[in-house]
Amino acid sequence: MGTESNIKLIDEKGLRIDGRSPEELRPIKIEVDVLNRADGSALIEWGGNKILAAVYGPREAYPKHNQDINKAIVKARYNMEAYSVDERKRPGPDRRSMEISKVLSEALETAIMVEQFPRAQIDVFIEVMQADAGTRIAGLTAASVALAAAGIPMRDFVAGCTAGKVDGQIVLDLCKEEDNFGQADLPIAIMPRSGRIVLLQMDGDLTVEEVEKATGMIMGAIKKIAELQRNALLTKFSAVETEGGE
Ligand code: UDP
């Protein structure tokens, strides 16, 4: 973010570097329960992002001194594979992945009914296999579906999107070039039914009016994304029901 460049990101017709209009989402596909060993899992393809979310638990928290007698602890681990980006990323945790793991854990903990599982731990692994900007939000969106697939009681889904500023314009769902060479990036995730914000970060500078415009775009997109989450689960579980009934 913020690396000033001479690259033109929006053309004379108002179209973006990948041909999208300012308020157009990249294509999103969600597949449920792609792993046999996990309690719940989901694979999300969001533009050029490919991200796997796997949920294990609730199970007894270990080591025991980590246990909370009042609620389950939620441990999300965001990991970007070395092969997920153009320039090989050094494997293993770094400051960025630790920060993202923390904000995603907190976002998911707000949605999960953690008070129902004292002393337990819920692990959420988020593996970025291919990255093209917006991976924290795409990972969170997949994690929410994986949690639902694991049957973990939740107040609501968590769904999110980013918007940002590119060539001075507010646009929805930044791709990598826009993220790298744009002026600002604003990822937001909410619980769609209540509208409660569970994640909000900002990289770069936006005016109050720009934040309002970006937020409006994000909220519109989240409605569509929540629908995709619901449909992915319905497709999976109605198929299971049909198989069971035969
Ligand atoms: N990125 C990269 N190498 C890194 C970290 C990030 O190439 O070590 C790319 C990757 O495509 C990522 C994008 O930069 O999706 C934007 O990263 P950011 O930290 O803004 O998080 P994200 O938008 O993915 O949530």
Side-chain angles (χ1 to χ4, degrees):
M1 179 62 43
T3 321
E4 288 300 328
S5 81
N6 297 323
I7 298 179
K8 212 164 151 34
L9 294 166
I10 299 187
D11 71 12
E12 315 71 51
K13 291 187 195 136
L15 294 180
R16 295 155 68 181
I17 196 154
D18 56 7
R20 282 183 293 153
S21 61
E23 217 164 326
E24 193 175 335
L25 271 172
R26 292 176 285 178
I28 302 175
K29 200 175 123 199
I30 305 173
E31 205 182 324
V32 181
D33 269 353
V34 291
L35 299 175
N36 290 341
R37 305 266 181 265
D39 293 313
S41 61
L43 175 67
I44 192 162
E45 290 177 45
W46 183 325
N49 293 311
K50 276 202 180 108
I51 304 172
L52 186 63
V55 169
Y56 296 82
R59 55 191 176 186
E60 190 182 6
Y62 191 80
K64 280 197 169 182
H65 63 79
N66 279 349
Q67 291 183 354
D68 186 327
I69 54 164
N70 298 311
K71 60 181 174 70
I73 50 177
V74 178
K75 266 193 162 174
R77 193 199 67 168
Y78 167 101
N79 178 45
M80 196 172 226
E81 301 291 353
Y83 54 81
S84 66
V85 285
D86 293 332
E87 228 171 273
R88 178 181 179 275
K89 187 204 154 282
R90 198 159 169 258
D94 52 21
R95 276 185 62 164
R96 176 178 173 276
S97 67
M98 280 154 65
E99 172 214 308
I100 297 178
S101 297
K102 181 174 185 293
V103 294
L104 298 190
S105 298
E106 289 168 359
L108 293 170
E109 185 177 334
T110 311
I112 298 170
M113 294 185 172
V114 283
E115 62 284 359
Q116 291 188 10
F117 306 101
R119 300 183 193 280
Q121 174 169 327
I122 297 167
D123 288 296
V124 185
F125 296 92
I126 296 166
E127 299 291 332
V128 180
M129 298 178 285
Q130 199 171 282
D132 189 28
T135 57
R136 74 195 62 203
I137 287 292
L140 184 58
T141 301
S144 161
V145 173
L147 284 162
I152 293 177
M154 293 168 78
R155 290 171 231 290
D156 193 2
F157 279 123
V158 171
C161 194
T162 69
K165 190 168 164 183
V166 169
D167 284 357
Q169 270 197 54
I170 301 299
V171 298
L172 184 71
D173 187 20
L174 306 188
C175 66
K176 182 156 186 299
E177 290 77 10
E178 293 174 327
D179 187 298
N180 286 5
F181 303 115
Q183 294 106 44
D185 176 18
L186 176 74
I188 296 183
I190 64 168
M191 294 198 284
R193 268 191 298 172
S194 62
R196 180 167 169 189
I197 292 175
V198 295
L199 181 149
L200 190 157
Q201 298 188 285
M202 190 164 103
D203 189 7
D205 292 323
L206 293 173
T207 64
V208 173
E209 291 74 29
E210 286 169 341
V211 169
E212 279 170 3
K213 185 166 184 195
T215 311
M217 283 186 182
I218 290 172
M219 294 306 167
I222 285 177
K223 283 202 187 101
K224 295 181 197 153
I225 294 158
E227 194 65 32
L228 292 172
Q229 289 176 304
R230 242 188 311 275
N231 286 344
L233 285 159
L234 279 173
T235 308
K236 174 73 192 178
F237 291 111
S238 53
V240 170
E241 223 167 80
T242 315
E243 279 164 27
E246 279 168 0

